[in-house]
Amino acid sequence: MPEAQVPASQGSIMDREGLQALLDVLTSRGFGVVGPRVRDEAVVYEPIRNVADLPEGWTDRQDGGRYRLERREDRALFGYAVGPHSWKQFLFPSRQRLWQARRTETGLEFLEEPSRDERWAFLGVRACELCAIAIQDRVFLGGVHRDRSYAERRQRVFVVAVQCAEPSGTCFCVSMQAGPKATCGFDLALTELLHAGSHRFLVEAGSRVGQEVLAAIPHRPANEDERRAAEKVTALAAARMGRTLETRGIRELLQSHPEHPRWEEVASRCLSCGNCTMVCPTCFCSTVEDHSDLSGKHTERMRLWDSCFTLGFSYLHGGSVRKEIRSRYRQWMTHKLSTWFDQFGSSGCVGCGRCITWCPVGIDITEEARAMRSSLPEETAHV
Amino acid sequence: MRDPDPFVPRLFRVEEARRENADTTTLGLVPSHGEIPSFLPGQFFMLYAFGVAEIPVSVSGLSGTGRLLHTIRAVGAGSRALCRLRPGDFLGARGPYGSAWPLDRAEGDDLLLIAGGLGAAPIRSALLRALAERERYGRVVFLYGARGPTELLFRPELEGWQRRPDLEVQVTVDHAPPSWRGSVGVVPERIGHARFSPAHTTAFVCGPEVMMRFTASALLAAGVSSERIFLSMERNMKCALALCGRCQFGPAFVCREGPIFRYDRIARLLFLREI
Ligand SMILES: Cc1cc2nc3c(=O)[nH]c(=O)nc-3n(C[C@H](O)[C@H](O)[C@H](O)COP(=O)(O)OP(=O)(O)OC[C@H]3O[C@@H](n4cnc5c(N)ncnc54)[C@H](O)[C@@H]3O)c2cc1C
Ligand code: SF4
Ligand code: SF4
Ligand code: FES
């Protein structure tokens, strides 16, 4: 985890071999490196060892309910936006043992989870994903009760950010002030520079460990042209957002219109499948289960990702609170864009677009927000 | 040094299991090691039945007695397993969690404690505290509604309370056999028959959500301020740590800001469907 910020570096330049050296240095320092690679026709985050594992020459096309990989003209290694995975699956695993219990001669015994020394290095973290991690940090570590397993994993993570060059058709990080340029929260940040046959990376260190790691790989100081070229990458990306979301007054807008007819309308399309919550890098809801062995003497307490779109989520004796899909979609979207502020002091949405892309029927949070706003008189819409 | 893991329960032993009625049991629990952390009326613990489930249950007794008292109605797997426990059995417990009945704030006021069904459990702890420091309050009134006479909780104690000169108790049931000499009807109706001065009254209400809505409306109609009415809300809970997201009620986590809420702060949500 990046500690105290270090003075902004002027930027260094490394080439493709430098990137391989970075992977090697991280591995030799005991990190398991996870990064993007192509699997089942999508860019996913998995362990990687070599630069050759990265999705070289691939880009993605995304729209509501659509995701497709396409070949690029060049050999870019990071020439796509985000896929169905997010870093949350490493910091907050979809399935995790919380503790175990055992019957003993004299009663019962609870066994805590031992601390694990897995250390992840995340390669290719986008600006919106840094924001999503910061949001989950507030959820899991910012309250009275801290999630110890999250804290232990998080503490040891080394973050290599990559500045976005190719926002997808569903990206709207600019609206959410979450990208496309990563400015903090990383140990190292790379900007991929592809120009007339040359393939280089501008590297910035964001922490002391980042500086140490950078010192161990071949690099040279960046010149003025290279710095300007790097600036241009994110500036161009910012100008090519696939979507926008007007955030002015959105918090009040949603909380003050729980009976808006649009909730009914979106519910008629929503399948309540929960895909949006699974792919969302900030959604944190979970359930627990007891898994007992056949002897009945031992049980494991498991925590699993859950979704506010399931009927069981709001179950109380006598029936679920949110029986209708209308109430469940309202809960989800109001939480993301509105009540999250009350709870954690920020929006729960970073504009990564995953929920739009991976919704089987292409429901679009930006479109829903727009529809709700436009159906209301100006003053109410802009509270 | 590692931080403590807030998910791991502590081991408790059942010291007493008292049958309250056909489906409800009060458990007296003592910790296997160490002390019981101090808690306040209205707060709750997460009780874990080995291999079955962990569920939120309010305290029905007082802090500092050397044991935890919980009154549990068997409605599903978890609560049924807890109700089956016998003296000497073990279970897990962690807590206390959540907000408390604001007894200190109510000092000097008439105190109206209103319970429907199982709501009598969390109300009992407030009542015990009020009776233990009786001089701090004006009139103390306990209004209690149950489906039938055989479903009343804390029966021996209830008779004792009914005889106290410094406490007004009104019990009402939905259905009664001819032998029942108390009143028949719903709790909110009893408010008009109780003696309290509305301008100086604090009311604590716990029961099914519909009952709380009607009761709150009746209290407002009687002139009690919406800032002095407190309700105990229920939502699905898996963690009680504000980490699992399940207990959301509008912007609030019931496990953290609740379960006790001031009426005027949740009135809008309370009348929304499926929130
Ligand atoms: C703050 C608070 C205080 C409470 N105090 C008390 C008290 O003092 N006494 C008392 O008796 N009760 C109390 N309750 C209620 C008590 O917690 C519930 O009755 C209990 O959780 C029910 O659990 P169960 O396993 O017995 O029942 P079930 O109804 O079987 O539920 C068990 C769990 O399984 C899941 N589940 C069950 N059925 C389904 C389904 N169809 N679909 C999906 N999921 C399902 C639910 O997530 C549920 O949490 C309190 C609740 C809260 C929130
Ligand atoms: S709500 Fe949608 S766009 Fe926003 S962070 Fe979650 S998945 Fe990304
Ligand atoms: S909005 Fe789309 S992805 Fe989310 S639950 Fe509804 S159908 Fe599934
Ligand atoms: S019970 Fe998990 S957040 Fe409240």
Side-chain angles (χ1 to χ4, degrees), chain A residues 99 103 106-108 113 115 139 146 148 152 255 259 284-287 290 296 299 301 303 306 312-313 315-317 321-324 327 330-331 335 343, chain B residues 2-9 11 48 50-52 54 75 90 92 97 234-236 238 241 243-246 248 250-251 253 256 268 272-275:
Chain A
W99 42 265
R103 279 199 194 284
T106 50
L108 205 61
E113 287 301 287
S115 66
V139 171
R146 287 160 54 91
R148 188 175 69 177
E152 291 180 347
Q255 281 192 58
E259 304 288 7
F284 63 90
C285 287
S286 64
T287 188
D290 255 65
T299 183
R301 188 81 175 154
R303 172 166 76 174
D306 199 6
F313 187 84
Y315 185 81
L316 284 182
H317 170 61
V321 173
R322 299 184 201 103
K323 293 190 188 65
E324 296 173 11
S327 336
R330 176 180 69 188
Q331 165 62 30
H335 189 211
Q343 298 167 353
Chain B
R2 279 180 104 191
D3 292 338
D5 187 336
F7 283 97
V8 180
L11 189 61
Y48 171 70
F50 179 79
V52 185
E54 190 180 41
V75 298
F90 288 88
Y97 299 115
E234 182 180 349
R235 279 295 177 271
N236 187 309
K238 296 297 184 192
L241 306 168
L243 294 173
C244 80
R246 305 199 43 141
Q248 289 178 77
F253 287 112
R256 186 174 64 185
R268 206 177 65 88
L272 284 176
R273 233 165 23 92
E274 302 202 352
I275 205 74

Coordinates of all heavy atoms in Angstrom, one line a residue, chain A residues 99 103 106-108 113 115 139 146 148 152 255 259 284-287 290 296 299 301 303 306 312-313 315-317 321-324 327 330-331 335 343, chain B residues 2-9 11 48 50-52 54 75 90 92 97 234-236 238 241 243-246 248 250-251 253 256 268 272-275:
Chain A
W99 N -13.9 -17.8 9.9 CA -13.3 -18.5 11.0 C -13.9 -20.0 11.0 O -14.7 -20.3 10.2 CB -13.7 -17.9 12.4 CG -15.1 -17.3 12.5 CD1 -15.5 -16.0 12.3 CD2 -16.3 -18.0 13.0 NE1 -16.8 -15.9 12.6 CE2 -17.3 -17.1 13.0 CE3 -16.5 -19.3 13.4 CZ2 -18.6 -17.4 13.4 CZ3 -17.8 -19.7 13.7 CH2 -18.9 -18.7 13.8
R103 N -16.3 -28.6 17.9 CA -16.8 -29.1 19.2 C -15.6 -29.8 19.9 O -14.8 -30.5 19.3 CB -17.9 -30.2 19.0 CG -19.2 -29.6 18.7 CD -20.3 -30.6 19.0 NE -21.6 -30.2 18.5 CZ -22.4 -29.3 19.0 NH1 -22.0 -28.7 20.2 NH2 -23.5 -28.9 18.5
T106 N -14.8 -30.3 26.1 CA -15.4 -29.4 27.2 C -16.4 -28.4 26.6 O -16.9 -27.6 27.4 CB -14.3 -28.6 27.9 OG1 -13.4 -28.1 26.9 CG2 -13.4 -29.6 28.7
G107 N -16.6 -28.4 25.3 CA -17.5 -27.4 24.8 C -17.3 -27.1 23.3 O -17.6 -28.0 22.5
L108 N -16.9 -25.9 23.1 CA -16.8 -25.4 21.7 C -15.6 -24.5 21.6 O -15.2 -23.9 22.6 CB -18.1 -24.6 21.5 CG -18.7 -24.4 20.1 CD1 -19.1 -25.7 19.5 CD2 -19.9 -23.5 20.3
E113 N -8.7 -17.1 11.7 CA -7.9 -17.4 10.5 C -6.5 -16.9 10.8 O -6.2 -15.8 11.3 CB -8.4 -16.6 9.3 CG -9.7 -17.1 8.8 CD -9.6 -18.6 8.3 OE1 -8.9 -18.8 7.2 OE2 -10.0 -19.5 9.0
S115 N -2.8 -15.3 9.9 CA -2.5 -14.2 8.9 C -1.7 -14.9 7.8 O -0.9 -15.7 8.0 CB -1.7 -13.1 9.6 OG -0.4 -13.6 10.0
V139 N -14.8 1.7 3.2 CA -15.9 0.8 3.6 C -15.3 -0.2 4.7 O -15.9 -0.4 5.8 CB -16.4 0.0 2.4 CG1 -17.4 -1.1 2.9 CG2 -17.2 0.9 1.5
R146 N -13.0 -2.7 11.9 CA -12.2 -2.8 10.7 C -12.2 -4.3 10.2 O -12.1 -5.2 11.1 CB -10.8 -2.4 10.9 CG -10.6 -0.9 11.0 CD -9.3 -0.5 11.8 NE -8.2 -1.1 11.2 CZ -7.4 -0.6 10.3 NH1 -7.7 0.6 9.8 NH2 -6.3 -1.2 9.8
R148 N -10.4 -7.2 9.3 CA -9.0 -7.5 9.5 C -8.3 -8.1 8.3 O -7.2 -7.8 7.9 CB -8.7 -8.4 10.7 CG -7.3 -8.5 11.0 CD -7.1 -9.3 12.3 NE -7.5 -10.7 12.2 CZ -7.3 -11.6 13.1 NH1 -6.9 -11.2 14.3 NH2 -7.7 -12.8 12.9
E152 N -5.2 -6.7 6.2 CA -3.9 -7.5 6.0 C -3.5 -7.6 4.5 O -2.3 -7.5 4.2 CB -4.0 -8.8 6.7 CG -4.0 -8.6 8.2 CD -4.1 -9.9 9.0 OE1 -4.3 -11.0 8.5 OE2 -3.9 -9.8 10.3
Q255 N -32.6 10.5 -3.6 CA -33.3 10.2 -2.3 C -34.6 10.9 -2.1 O -35.5 10.5 -1.4 CB -32.3 10.7 -1.1 CG -31.2 9.7 -0.8 CD -30.5 9.9 0.5 OE1 -31.1 10.0 1.5 NE2 -29.2 10.1 0.4
E259 N -40.5 7.4 -5.3 CA -41.7 6.9 -5.9 C -41.7 7.3 -7.4 O -42.8 7.3 -8.0 CB -42.9 7.3 -5.2 CG -43.0 7.0 -3.7 CD -43.2 5.5 -3.4 OE1 -43.2 4.7 -4.4 OE2 -43.4 5.2 -2.2
F284 N -19.9 -4.1 -2.1 CA -19.2 -4.8 -1.0 C -20.1 -5.7 -0.3 O -19.7 -6.3 0.7 CB -18.5 -3.8 -0.1 CG -19.5 -2.9 0.6 CD1 -20.1 -3.3 1.8 CD2 -19.9 -1.7 0.1 CE1 -21.0 -2.5 2.5 CE2 -20.8 -0.9 0.7 CZ -21.4 -1.3 1.9
C285 N -21.4 -5.8 -0.7 CA -22.4 -6.6 0.1 C -22.0 -8.1 0.1 O -21.5 -8.6 -0.8 CB -23.8 -6.4 -0.4 SG -24.4 -4.7 0.1
S286 N -22.3 -8.7 1.3 CA -21.9 -10.1 1.4 C -22.9 -10.9 2.2 O -23.8 -10.3 2.9 CB -20.5 -10.2 2.1 OG -20.6 -9.7 3.4
T287 N -22.8 -12.2 2.2 CA -23.6 -13.0 3.0 C -22.7 -14.0 3.7 O -21.5 -14.0 3.4 CB -24.7 -13.8 2.2 OG1 -25.6 -14.4 3.1 CG2 -24.1 -14.8 1.3
D290 N -22.7 -21.3 6.9 CA -22.0 -22.3 7.7 C -21.8 -23.6 6.9 O -22.8 -24.1 6.4 CB -22.8 -22.6 9.0 CG -22.2 -22.0 10.2 OD1 -22.2 -20.8 10.2 OD2 -21.7 -22.7 11.1
G296 N -20.4 -33.5 12.1 CA -21.1 -32.5 13.0 C -20.2 -31.9 14.0 O -20.7 -31.2 14.9
T299 N -17.1 -26.9 11.8 CA -17.8 -26.1 10.8 C -17.0 -24.9 10.4 O -16.1 -24.4 11.1 CB -19.2 -25.6 11.4 OG1 -19.9 -24.9 10.4 CG2 -19.0 -24.7 12.6
R301 N -17.1 -21.1 8.8 CA -18.0 -19.9 8.6 C -17.4 -19.2 7.3 O -16.3 -18.7 7.3 CB -17.8 -19.0 9.8 CG -18.8 -17.8 9.8 CD -20.1 -18.3 10.3 NE -21.0 -17.2 10.4 CZ -22.4 -17.3 10.3 NH1 -22.9 -18.5 10.1 NH2 -23.1 -16.2 10.4
R303 N -17.8 -16.4 4.1 CA -18.4 -15.2 3.6 C -18.3 -15.2 2.1 O -17.3 -15.5 1.5 CB -17.6 -14.0 4.1 CG -18.1 -12.7 3.5 CD -17.6 -11.4 4.2 NE -16.2 -11.2 4.0 CZ -15.6 -10.1 4.4 NH1 -16.2 -9.2 5.2 NH2 -14.3 -9.9 4.2
D306 N -22.5 -11.1 -2.1 CA -24.0 -11.2 -2.3 C -24.4 -9.9 -3.0 O -23.6 -9.0 -3.3 CB -24.7 -11.3 -0.9 CG -26.1 -11.8 -1.0 OD1 -26.5 -12.2 -2.1 OD2 -26.8 -11.8 0.0
G312 N -33.4 -12.9 -1.2 CA -32.9 -13.2 0.2 C -32.2 -12.1 0.9 O -32.1 -12.1 2.1
F313 N -31.6 -11.2 0.1 CA -30.8 -10.1 0.7 C -31.6 -9.3 1.8 O -31.0 -9.0 2.8 CB -30.5 -9.1 -0.5 CG -29.5 -8.0 0.0 CD1 -28.1 -8.3 0.0 CD2 -29.9 -6.8 0.4 CE1 -27.2 -7.3 0.3 CE2 -29.1 -5.8 0.7 CZ -27.7 -6.1 0.7
Y315 N -34.3 -10.5 3.4 CA -35.2 -11.4 4.0 C -35.3 -11.1 5.5 O -34.4 -11.0 6.2 CB -34.7 -12.8 3.8 CG -35.6 -13.9 4.3 CD1 -36.8 -14.2 3.6 CD2 -35.4 -14.4 5.6 CE1 -37.6 -15.2 4.1 CE2 -36.3 -15.4 6.1 CZ -37.4 -15.7 5.3 OH -38.3 -16.6 5.9
L316 N -36.6 -11.1 5.9 CA -36.9 -11.0 7.4 C -37.9 -12.1 7.6 O -38.6 -12.5 6.7 CB -37.5 -9.7 7.7 CG -36.6 -8.5 7.9 CD1 -37.4 -7.3 8.3 CD2 -35.5 -8.8 8.9
H317 N -38.0 -12.6 8.8 CA -39.1 -13.5 9.1 C -40.4 -13.0 8.6 O -40.8 -11.9 8.9 CB -39.1 -13.7 10.6 CG -40.3 -14.5 11.1 ND1 -40.5 -15.8 10.6 CD2 -41.4 -14.2 11.8 CE1 -41.7 -16.3 11.1 NE2 -42.2 -15.3 11.9
V321 N -38.1 -7.7 2.5 CA -38.5 -6.3 2.5 C -38.7 -5.9 1.0 O -39.7 -5.2 0.7 CB -37.5 -5.5 3.2 CG1 -37.8 -4.0 3.1 CG2 -37.4 -5.8 4.7
R322 N -37.7 -6.2 0.2 CA -37.7 -5.7 -1.2 C -38.2 -6.8 -2.1 O -37.3 -7.5 -2.7 CB -36.4 -5.1 -1.6 CG -36.0 -3.9 -0.7 CD -34.7 -3.2 -1.1 NE -34.2 -2.5 0.0 CZ -33.2 -2.9 0.8 NH1 -32.5 -4.0 0.5 NH2 -32.9 -2.2 1.9
K323 N -39.5 -7.0 -2.2 CA -40.0 -8.1 -3.0 C -40.0 -7.7 -4.5 O -39.7 -8.6 -5.3 CB -41.5 -8.4 -2.6 CG -41.6 -8.9 -1.2 CD -43.0 -9.4 -0.9 CE -43.2 -9.8 0.5 NZ -43.1 -8.6 1.4
E324 N -40.2 -6.5 -4.8 CA -40.3 -6.1 -6.2 C -38.9 -5.7 -6.8 O -38.1 -5.2 -6.0 CB -41.3 -4.9 -6.4 CG -42.7 -5.2 -6.0 CD -43.6 -4.0 -6.0 OE1 -43.1 -2.9 -6.5 OE2 -44.7 -4.1 -5.5
S327 N -38.0 -2.1 -6.3 CA -37.4 -1.7 -5.0 C -35.9 -2.1 -4.9 O -35.1 -1.4 -4.3 CB -38.0 -2.3 -3.8 OG -39.3 -2.7 -4.1
R330 N -33.9 0.3 -7.2 CA -33.9 1.6 -6.5 C -32.9 1.6 -5.4 O -32.1 2.5 -5.3 CB -35.3 1.9 -6.0 CG -35.4 3.2 -5.2 CD -36.8 3.4 -4.6 NE -37.2 2.4 -3.6 CZ -38.4 2.4 -3.1 NH1 -39.4 3.1 -3.5 NH2 -38.7 1.5 -2.2
Q331 N -32.8 0.5 -4.7 CA -31.8 0.4 -3.6 C -30.4 0.5 -4.2 O -29.6 1.2 -3.7 CB -32.0 -1.0 -2.9 CG -30.9 -1.4 -2.0 CD -30.6 -0.5 -0.8 OE1 -31.6 0.2 -0.4 NE2 -29.4 -0.4 -0.4
H335 N -28.1 3.7 -3.7 CA -26.9 3.5 -2.8 C -25.7 4.0 -3.6 O -24.9 4.8 -3.1 CB -26.8 2.0 -2.5 CG -25.8 1.7 -1.5 ND1 -25.0 0.6 -1.4 CD2 -25.3 2.5 -0.5 CE1 -24.2 0.6 -0.4 NE2 -24.3 1.8 0.2
Q343 N -23.1 7.5 3.9 CA -22.4 6.5 4.7 C -20.8 6.6 4.7 O -20.2 6.3 5.7 CB -22.7 5.1 4.1 CG -24.2 4.8 4.1 CD -24.6 3.6 3.3 OE1 -23.8 3.1 2.5 NE2 -25.9 3.2 3.4
Chain B
R2 N -1.5 -8.5 16.0 CA -2.6 -8.4 15.1 C -3.8 -7.7 15.8 O -4.0 -7.9 17.0 CB -3.1 -9.8 14.7 CG -2.2 -10.5 13.6 CD -2.8 -11.8 13.4 NE -3.6 -11.9 12.2 CZ -4.4 -12.9 11.8 NH1 -4.5 -13.9 12.6 NH2 -5.0 -12.9 10.7
D3 N -4.5 -7.0 15.0 CA -5.8 -6.4 15.5 C -6.7 -7.6 15.8 O -6.6 -8.6 15.2 CB -6.5 -5.6 14.4 CG -5.7 -4.3 14.1 OD1 -4.9 -3.9 14.9 OD2 -5.9 -3.8 13.0
P4 N -7.7 -7.4 16.7 CA -8.7 -8.5 16.9 C -9.6 -8.6 15.7 O -9.8 -7.6 15.0 CB -9.5 -8.0 18.1 CG -9.2 -6.5 18.2 CD -7.9 -6.2 17.6
D5 N -10.1 -9.8 15.4 CA -11.0 -10.0 14.3 C -12.4 -9.8 14.8 O -12.9 -10.6 15.6 CB -10.8 -11.4 13.8 CG -11.6 -11.7 12.5 OD1 -12.5 -10.9 12.3 OD2 -11.2 -12.5 11.7
P6 N -13.1 -8.8 14.3 CA -14.4 -8.5 14.8 C -15.5 -9.5 14.5 O -16.6 -9.5 15.0 CB -14.8 -7.1 14.2 CG -13.9 -7.1 12.9 CD -12.7 -7.8 13.3
F7 N -15.2 -10.4 13.5 CA -16.1 -11.4 13.1 C -16.2 -12.6 14.1 O -17.1 -13.4 14.1 CB -15.8 -11.9 11.7 CG -16.2 -11.0 10.6 CD1 -15.3 -10.2 10.0 CD2 -17.6 -11.0 10.2 CE1 -15.7 -9.3 9.0 CE2 -17.9 -10.1 9.2 CZ -17.0 -9.3 8.6
V8 N -15.1 -12.8 14.8 CA -15.0 -14.1 15.6 C -15.8 -13.9 16.9 O -15.6 -13.0 17.7 CB -13.6 -14.4 15.9 CG1 -13.5 -15.7 16.7 CG2 -12.8 -14.6 14.6
P9 N -16.8 -14.8 17.2 CA -17.6 -14.8 18.4 C -16.8 -15.2 19.6 O -15.7 -15.8 19.5 CB -18.7 -15.8 18.2 CG -18.6 -16.3 16.8 CD -17.2 -16.0 16.3
L11 N -17.0 -17.4 23.3 CA -17.7 -18.5 23.7 C -18.5 -18.2 25.0 O -17.9 -17.6 26.0 CB -16.6 -19.6 24.0 CG -17.2 -21.0 24.4 CD1 -18.0 -21.5 23.2 CD2 -16.0 -22.0 24.7
Y48 N -24.6 -17.0 18.0 CA -24.2 -18.1 17.0 C -24.5 -19.4 17.5 O -24.0 -19.9 18.5 CB -22.7 -18.0 16.7 CG -22.2 -19.1 15.8 CD1 -22.6 -19.2 14.5 CD2 -21.4 -20.1 16.3 CE1 -22.2 -20.2 13.7 CE2 -21.0 -21.1 15.5 CZ -21.4 -21.2 14.2 OH -20.9 -22.2 13.4
F50 N -24.1 -23.2 16.9 CA -23.0 -24.0 16.2 C -23.5 -24.7 15.0 O -24.5 -25.5 15.0 CB -22.5 -25.1 17.2 CG -21.4 -26.0 16.6 CD1 -20.1 -25.5 16.4 CD2 -21.7 -27.2 16.1 CE1 -19.2 -26.3 15.8 CE2 -20.8 -28.0 15.5 CZ -19.5 -27.5 15.3
G51 N -22.9 -24.4 13.9 CA -23.2 -25.1 12.6 C -24.4 -24.6 11.9 O -24.8 -25.1 10.9
V52 N -25.2 -23.7 12.5 CA -26.5 -23.3 11.9 C -26.5 -21.9 11.4 O -26.6 -21.6 10.2 CB -27.6 -23.5 13.0 CG1 -29.0 -23.3 12.3 CG2 -27.6 -24.9 13.5
E54 N -25.9 -17.4 12.6 CA -25.6 -16.3 13.6 C -26.7 -15.2 13.4 O -26.9 -14.8 12.3 CB -24.3 -15.7 13.3 CG -23.8 -14.8 14.4 CD -22.4 -14.2 14.1 OE1 -22.1 -13.9 12.9 OE2 -21.6 -14.1 15.0
V75 N -38.3 -18.9 15.0 CA -39.0 -18.6 13.7 C -38.4 -19.3 12.5 O -39.0 -19.4 11.5 CB -39.2 -17.1 13.4 CG1 -40.0 -16.4 14.5 CG2 -37.8 -16.4 13.3
F90 N -23.2 -24.8 24.8 CA -22.3 -23.6 24.5 C -22.8 -22.9 23.2 O -23.5 -23.6 22.4 CB -20.9 -24.0 24.2 CG -20.2 -24.4 25.5 CD1 -20.3 -25.7 26.0 CD2 -19.5 -23.4 26.2 CE1 -19.7 -26.0 27.2 CE2 -18.9 -23.7 27.4 CZ -19.0 -25.0 27.9
G92 N -21.9 -19.1 20.6 CA -21.0 -18.0 20.4 C -21.8 -16.7 20.5 O -23.0 -16.6 20.2
Y97 N -23.8 -4.3 20.0 CA -23.9 -3.5 18.8 C -25.1 -2.6 18.8 O -26.1 -2.8 19.5 CB -24.0 -4.4 17.6 CG -22.8 -5.3 17.4 CD1 -23.0 -6.7 17.5 CD2 -21.5 -4.9 17.2 CE1 -22.0 -7.6 17.3 CE2 -20.5 -5.7 17.0 CZ -20.7 -7.1 17.1 OH -19.6 -8.0 16.9
E234 N -35.9 -3.3 12.5 CA -35.3 -4.6 12.2 C -35.0 -4.7 10.7 O -35.9 -4.4 9.9 CB -36.3 -5.8 12.6 CG -35.7 -7.1 12.3 CD -36.6 -8.3 12.7 OE1 -37.6 -8.1 13.4 OE2 -36.2 -9.4 12.3
R235 N -33.9 -5.2 10.3 CA -33.5 -5.5 9.0 C -32.6 -6.8 9.0 O -32.1 -7.1 10.0 CB -32.7 -4.4 8.3 CG -33.6 -3.2 7.8 CD -34.5 -3.6 6.7 NE -35.4 -2.6 6.2 CZ -36.6 -2.3 6.7 NH1 -37.1 -3.0 7.7 NH2 -37.4 -1.4 6.1
N236 N -32.5 -7.4 7.8 CA -31.6 -8.6 7.7 C -30.2 -8.2 8.1 O -29.7 -7.1 7.6 CB -31.7 -9.1 6.3 CG -31.0 -10.4 6.1 OD1 -29.8 -10.6 6.5 ND2 -31.6 -11.4 5.6
K238 N -26.1 -9.6 8.7 CA -25.2 -10.7 8.6 C -23.9 -10.4 9.4 O -23.1 -11.3 9.7 CB -24.8 -11.0 7.2 CG -25.9 -11.5 6.3 CD -26.5 -12.8 6.8 CE -27.6 -13.4 5.9 NZ -28.3 -14.5 6.5
L241 N -21.5 -5.2 11.8 CA -20.3 -4.4 11.9 C -20.2 -3.3 10.8 O -19.2 -2.7 10.6 CB -19.1 -5.3 11.6 CG -18.9 -6.5 12.5 CD1 -17.9 -7.5 12.0 CD2 -18.6 -6.1 14.0
L243 N -20.3 -3.8 7.7 CA -19.4 -4.3 6.7 C -20.1 -5.2 5.6 O -19.6 -5.4 4.5 CB -18.3 -5.2 7.3 CG -17.3 -4.4 8.2 CD1 -16.4 -5.4 8.9 CD2 -16.5 -3.4 7.4
C244 N -21.3 -5.7 5.9 CA -22.0 -6.6 4.9 C -23.0 -5.9 4.1 O -23.5 -6.5 3.1 CB -22.5 -7.8 5.6 SG -24.1 -7.5 6.4
G245 N -23.5 -4.7 4.5 CA -24.4 -4.0 3.7 C -25.9 -4.4 3.7 O -26.7 -3.7 3.1
R246 N -26.2 -5.4 4.4 CA -27.5 -6.0 4.3 C -28.6 -5.2 5.1 O -29.8 -5.3 4.8 CB -27.5 -7.4 4.7 CG -26.5 -8.2 3.9 CD -26.6 -9.6 3.9 NE -27.9 -10.1 3.7 CZ -28.1 -11.2 2.9 NH1 -27.1 -11.7 2.2 NH2 -29.3 -11.7 2.8
Q248 N -29.2 -2.1 5.4 CA -29.5 -0.8 5.0 C -30.9 -0.4 5.0 O -31.8 -1.1 4.6 CB -28.9 -0.5 3.6 CG -27.4 -0.5 3.5 CD -26.9 -0.3 2.1 OE1 -26.9 0.8 1.6 NE2 -26.4 -1.4 1.5
G250 N -32.6 3.1 3.9 CA -32.2 4.4 3.4 C -30.7 4.6 3.6 O -30.0 3.6 3.4
P251 N -30.3 5.7 4.0 CA -28.9 5.9 4.2 C -28.3 5.3 5.5 O -27.1 5.2 5.6 CB -28.7 7.5 4.3 CG -30.1 7.9 4.8 CD -31.1 6.9 4.2
F253 N -27.3 2.3 8.3 CA -27.1 0.9 8.6 C -27.8 0.7 9.9 O -27.4 1.3 10.9 CB -25.6 0.6 8.8 CG -24.8 0.6 7.5 CD1 -23.8 1.6 7.2 CD2 -25.0 -0.4 6.5 CE1 -23.1 1.6 6.1 CE2 -24.3 -0.4 5.3 CZ -23.3 0.6 5.1
R256 N -25.7 -0.1 12.9 CA -24.8 1.0 13.4 C -25.6 2.2 13.9 O -25.5 2.5 15.1 CB -23.8 1.4 12.3 CG -22.7 2.3 12.8 CD -21.7 2.6 11.8 NE -22.2 3.3 10.6 CZ -21.5 3.5 9.5 NH1 -20.3 3.1 9.4 NH2 -22.1 4.1 8.5
R268 N -40.0 9.6 7.2 CA -40.2 9.5 5.8 C -40.0 8.1 5.2 O -40.8 7.6 4.4 CB -39.3 10.5 5.1 CG -39.7 11.0 3.7 CD -38.7 12.0 3.2 NE -37.4 11.4 2.9 CZ -37.1 10.8 1.8 NH1 -38.0 10.8 0.8 NH2 -36.0 10.2 1.6
L272 N -42.5 4.5 3.4 CA -42.2 4.1 2.1 C -42.4 2.6 2.0 O -41.9 1.9 2.9 CB -40.8 4.5 1.6 CG -40.6 6.0 1.3 CD1 -39.1 6.2 1.0 CD2 -41.4 6.4 0.1
R273 N -42.9 2.2 0.8 CA -43.0 0.7 0.6 C -41.6 0.1 0.2 O -40.9 0.7 -0.6 CB -44.0 0.5 -0.5 CG -45.1 -0.5 -0.1 CD -46.3 -0.5 -1.0 NE -46.0 0.0 -2.4 CZ -45.6 -0.8 -3.4 NH1 -45.4 -2.1 -3.2 NH2 -45.4 -0.2 -4.6
E274 N -41.3 -1.0 0.8 CA -40.1 -1.8 0.4 C -38.8 -1.1 0.4 O -38.0 -1.3 -0.5 CB -40.4 -2.4 -1.0 CG -41.6 -3.3 -1.0 CD -41.6 -4.3 -2.2 OE1 -40.7 -4.3 -3.0 OE2 -42.5 -5.2 -2.2
I275 N -38.6 -0.2 1.4 CA -37.4 0.6 1.4 C -36.2 -0.2 2.0 O -36.4 -0.9 2.9 CB -37.5 2.0 2.0 CG1 -36.5 3.0 1.5 CG2 -37.4 1.9 3.5 CD1 -36.7 3.4 0.1

